[in-house]
Amino acid sequence: MLEVAFNTRRGSFHLEIECRFASGWTVIFGPSGAGKTTLLRLIAGLDLSEGARPQSARVILDGRALTDSATGLKLKPGRRQTAMVAQQSALFPHLTVAANVAYGLTSLELDARTTRVFEMLELVGGLRLLDRNPRDLSGGEAQRVALARALAPHPRLLLLDEPFSALDGAASDALLIRLQQWATEHQVQTIMATHDATDPLATAAEVALLHEGRLAALGPAAEVLASERKRLLERLG
């Protein structure tokens, strides 16, 4: 379970939110500029800039405080059991795909590390990319590898910021289904930001509806996105 409370400003934008994410799979839905990325980065312990540091902040995962501005606590991203995948893959350009995925697995023995790399690349449909360099990957391939790298250490919390934007609809849907199954099996709580209503509706997710830095609604996708579902059906005729 994840509990968050933030009150932060970045220029004229004001993010003020306090809620509890109890579902294993939550989608943060809202238009561009609603605060989705800001929220995910603050949960991950990544301040966007000096001016974006929160006036008050609290992040509690499974009863363990990760951030608490009242006491000055702010665990570094690497100590949070949290992984984040953004739209930009940010792969290490000097490492192969396999080495990128293995980067956070130094605690594993070599055989176990190799097995884990193969498992994660197979999950995201990227086994054929094993020996490739990041510069030789398409945008969609790079996103698959970035996801595999984030999953490899088996984080407790996975944060996804429009992670499939470079994939076509069918590929995105197939990967999303496999990822949700894997996350459920390994008890990895997942929070995914998107502005595409088909993602939460397809996965029957809990939805946090964000509007201008505020939480407008939190609940089942069919309820929170009822108007979006109606609009999509009308577009389909």
Side-chain angles (χ1 to χ4, degrees), residues 1-5 17-23 26 58 60 62-63 189 191 206-208 215 217-219:
M1 180 182 296
L2 178 69
E3 301 173 58
V4 302
I17 182 172
E18 182 172 359
C19 66
R20 176 182 298 174
F21 298 120
S23 174
T26 301
R58 186 174 71 253
I60 300 175
D62 297 335
Q189 184 172 1
I191 300 177
E206 175 186 66
V207 172
L215 183 66
L218 178 64

Side-chain angles (χ1 to χ4, degrees), residues 20-77:
R20 176 182 298 174
F21 298 120
S23 174
W25 189 277
T26 301
V27 173
I28 300 177
F29 179 79
S32 297
K36 302 186 298 295
T37 297
T38 299
L39 176 59
L40 291 185
R41 288 181 63 87
L42 287 170
I43 293 172
L46 302 170
D47 290 327
L48 300 181
S49 67
E50 291 292 328
R53 290 189 176 178
Q55 299 167 354
S56 63
R58 186 174 71 253
V59 180
I60 300 175
L61 179 62
D62 297 335
R64 177 195 180 208
L66 308 182
T67 300
D68 189 348
S69 58
T71 62
L73 172 67
K74 182 187 172 186
L75 292 183
K76 293 181 179 180

Side-chain angles (χ1 to χ4, degrees), residues 169-204:
S172 176
D173 291 346
L175 182 53
L176 189 59
I177 291 171
R178 291 201 303 274
L179 175 59
Q180 189 175 35
Q181 292 172 340
W182 183 91
T184 299
E185 179 183 346
H186 292 84
Q187 297 183 317
V188 177
Q189 184 172 1
T190 303
I191 300 177
M192 182 176 75
T194 184
H195 64 272
D196 185 350
T198 58
D199 289 338
L201 289 170
T203 56

Side-chain angles (χ1 to χ4, degrees), residues 125-161:
L127 263 181
R128 61 187 176 81
L129 308 172
L130 195 68
D131 298 318
R132 302 264 291 275
N133 291 312
R135 65 176 177 272
D136 298 323
L137 302 178
S138 68
E141 289 170 341
Q143 285 187 330
R144 291 177 188 271
V145 176
L147 179 59
R149 183 178 64 181
L151 297 176
H154 287 192
R156 175 64 188 91
L157 177 65
L158 177 64
L159 305 173
L160 304 173
D161 188 9

